[in-house]
Amino acid sequence: MKAKVYVTIKENVLDPQGNAVQGALHTMGFGEVGKVRIGKYLEVEIAGNDRAKAEAQLKEMCEKLLANTVVEDYRFELEG
Amino acid sequence: MKAKVYVTIKENVLDPQGNAVQGALHTMGFGEVGKVRIGKYLEVEIAGNDRAKAEAQLKEMCEKLLANTVVEDYRFELEG
């Protein structure tokens, strides 16, 4: 199975990297650009066919390693 | 309008960060985990209602700043 994991910075947490990209885009002439938020996108292959088990494992992986749940949110989609 | 931009490392390019995460997950006991690829996920707000213009601008932003097209692919979705 293949999982797509999205890790984003929580809404009320500052995103200096996003602000820097926003500033760069403005400097380049893209004045219409508003807020930019930058997160991570992971593709994870998981062996086996047990969907429920894979979902439980993904949740645990996100909580323990992939996301810092103090300042980040995560969500994932399982395919196949 | 809000755009979601996904920047991923091309299939034939090494992803040492992904390999490190894969190794860490194995060490943590998630032996079912196969290949891990890590990319970026951006949310960009764009003022205006001209969808075609926004798409053209997004393509230009990705080509010029958001993605390194030598080693990365990108795709985006426009909402609203």
Side-chain angles (χ1 to χ4, degrees):
Chain A
M1 285 176 288
K2 190 173 167 186
K4 295 179 174 180
V5 183
Y6 306 87
V7 180
T8 50
I9 295 175
K10 281 183 201 281
E11 203 53 49
N12 54 349
V13 175
L14 289 177
D15 180 4
Q17 193 188 1
N19 293 344
V21 167
Q22 182 184 2
L25 289 171
H26 282 181
T27 305
M28 290 165 68
F30 298 105
E32 297 89 343
V33 171
K35 199 167 64 166
V36 177
R37 306 283 285 179
I38 301 185
K40 278 176 291 185
Y41 167 69
L42 297 92
E43 293 177 347
V44 181
E45 284 177 11
I46 299 179
N49 292 309
D50 188 339
R51 205 176 171 82
K53 185 184 170 199
E55 284 185 1
Q57 285 191 320
L58 273 168
K59 185 168 188 296
E60 200 181 338
M61 288 180 216
C62 287
E63 298 275 349
K64 287 188 176 171
L65 183 74
L66 304 181
N68 176 356
T69 53
V70 176
V71 292
E72 291 173 329
D73 291 320
Y74 66 85
R75 64 190 166 85
F76 56 79
E77 300 160 2
L78 253 183
E79 290 177 355
Chain B
M1 284 176 289
K2 190 173 167 186
K4 295 179 174 180
V5 183
Y6 306 86
V7 179
T8 49
I9 296 176
K10 282 184 201 279
E11 202 54 45
N12 53 349
V13 175
L14 289 177
D15 179 4
Q17 194 187 2
N19 293 343
V21 167
Q22 182 184 3
L25 289 172
H26 281 181
T27 305
M28 290 165 68
F30 297 106
E32 297 88 345
V33 171
K35 200 167 64 167
V36 177
R37 306 283 287 179
I38 301 185
K40 278 177 291 184
Y41 166 70
L42 297 93
E43 293 177 347
V44 181
E45 283 177 12
I46 299 179
N49 292 309
D50 188 339
R51 206 177 170 80
K53 186 183 170 200
E55 283 185 359
Q57 285 190 320
L58 272 168
K59 185 168 187 296
E60 200 181 337
M61 288 179 214
C62 287
E63 298 275 349
K64 287 188 176 170
L65 183 73
L66 304 182
N68 174 356
T69 54
V70 178
V71 292
E72 291 173 330
D73 291 319
Y74 66 85
R75 65 191 167 83
F76 56 79
E77 300 159 3
L78 253 184
E79 292 177 353

